[in-house]
Amino acid sequence: MSGEGSWRSADYAERFKTHDHADFAQEFLRRNPVYVRDYAKAEQRAAADPAKAQEEREGLARRWGLSFPLRSEQVGEG
């Protein structure tokens, strides 16, 4: 991690001051290899059976404690 500042530095505080808890949670999941594998498997199952795609994605969200309260339409509609 050479060349990077300390997480205690003013630069880091400034860089991340606009991030909320959801931003940090998203980054944690994106870097979590167990979640990445679970997500990939859920997406494979969804692609194999489009009729159950929503169910697969909802299952993934439930397993990981995710919610999407601001979503106004279902995924995949358009």
Side-chain angles (χ1 to χ4, degrees):
M1 295 179 72
S2 63
E4 292 186 22
S6 167
W7 64 270
R8 294 179 179 163
S9 72
D11 178 52
Y12 266 52
E14 187 66 26
R15 186 185 310 174
F16 297 112
K17 76 178 185 179
T18 60
H19 290 63
D20 62 11
H21 290 113
D23 294 328
F24 288 105
Q26 179 180 353
E27 274 303 303
F28 173 81
L29 285 177
R30 188 178 74 80
R31 296 165 189 244
N32 182 319
V34 178
Y35 172 78
V36 170
R37 281 192 302 272
D38 193 15
Y39 176 85
K41 288 177 183 177
E43 286 299 306
Q44 287 172 348
R45 290 189 301 267
D49 189 353
K52 292 189 176 186
Q54 185 70 23
E55 182 180 329
E56 286 294 340
R57 292 180 179 124
E58 287 173 359
L60 176 75
R62 241 185 338 274
R63 286 190 299 279
W64 288 90
L66 305 175
S67 63
F68 305 96
L70 301 177
R71 183 170 286 160
S72 61
E73 59 186 56
Q74 289 184 336
V75 174
E77 289 187 359

